[in-house]
Amino acid sequence: MSLSDEPIVFIILFVLLFQGLSTLHRNGDTSFNFDVVNNKLSLSANIGINDAKAGYAASAEFMDIGISASADAKIQTVKVYFEAEMCLSSGCSLALTKFDITEIGHIDVDINGLGPLGWILEVVVDLIADLIRGFLADILEGPIKDLLQNILNDLVPDIPSILIKNLA
C-alpha cells in the first residue's frame, strides 16, 4: 500500500478561556454628572479585576500522529479608566467615550505538553509578557472598547425616549 492510498486527516483544535471578570470592582474615583447646558449625563470610573486567568489549548493531528499543548496565564491585576455619556434627547444611547487600560500587573505563563521545551518557553514568555504589558494595553484598548460599546448598544435601552414617554 502506498502513502497516497491512505486517507490524510489534518485536524487542529483551538480553545481559548478567560476567567476573572467576577472580580470586577471599583478601584478609584468615580463621578456621575449632569451637564445642564448640553443636556447629557456623564460617568467616569476606575475599575479593575484581580487574579485573572487566561488559557489556550491546541491540538493537531496529521496521519494519526498528534500533539497537544496548552498555555495558562495568570494576570495579577488589570486596571481600567473609562468615561461614558448619554444625551437626554430621544434616540440617544450610552456611548463609551474613553477606555484606557491603565495597568496590567505581573503575567505568569505556564506551558504544558511540550516537555523540556515548555519549561524553556515559560521563562522566555514570562520575561517577554512583563516587558510588553504596556504595549499589550495599547493594542487591546481599541478592540475591547468596540466590543463593550456593541454590548451596550444591544443591552441598554433608549432611556431618554422612555423617560420622555413616561413624563408626557
Side-chain angles (χ1 to χ4, degrees):
M1 182 182 282
S2 70
L3 185 59
S4 62
D5 294 336
E6 289 291 314
I8 297 175
V9 178
F10 186 66
I11 301 170
I12 300 177
L13 172 66
F14 299 100
V15 177
L16 182 63
L17 164 74
F18 186 82
Q19 295 176 321
L21 290 178
S22 63
T23 68
L24 185 66
H25 63 280
R26 185 174 60 86
N27 63 9
D29 293 337
T30 302
S31 70
F32 186 70
N33 298 305
F34 174 57
D35 180 353
V36 179
V37 174
N38 294 310
N39 198 30
K40 69 179 176 180
L41 298 171
S42 62
L43 168 70
S44 66
N46 291 281
I47 58 174
I49 58 175
N50 294 330
D51 302 320
K53 295 177 183 173
Y56 178 79
S59 296
E61 184 176 307
F62 179 71
M63 295 180 64
D64 294 330
I65 299 171
I67 185 168
S68 295
S70 65
D72 300 308
K74 296 176 187 166
I75 306 161
Q76 183 181 38
T77 186
V78 177
K79 294 182 180 178
V80 172
Y81 172 78
F82 76 89
E83 295 175 358
E85 61 184 38
M86 177 187 287
C87 69
L88 295 178
S89 304
S90 183
C92 287
S93 62
L94 185 62
L96 194 57
T97 57
K98 187 171 190 170
F99 184 87
D100 292 329
I101 298 174
T102 58
E103 180 183 340
I104 297 177
H106 175 69
I107 302 170
D108 181 38
V109 180
D110 293 320
I111 297 175
N112 304 299
L114 298 178
L117 180 60
W119 180 81
I120 294 167
L121 281 174
E122 280 181 26
V123 174
V124 173
V125 170
D126 281 347
L127 176 66
I128 292 171
D130 281 337
L131 289 174
I132 65 168
R133 285 182 294 191
F135 177 71
L136 282 174
D138 292 341
I139 288 176
L140 295 173
E141 284 173 350
I144 291 173
K145 179 183 177 193
D146 293 343
L147 178 66
L148 290 173
Q149 185 62 60
N150 288 336
I151 292 169
L152 290 172
N153 292 345
D154 291 343
L155 297 178
V156 177
D158 182 0
I159 295 171
S161 293
I162 294 169
L163 289 174
I164 292 169
K165 189 185 311 179
N166 289 334
L167 294 175

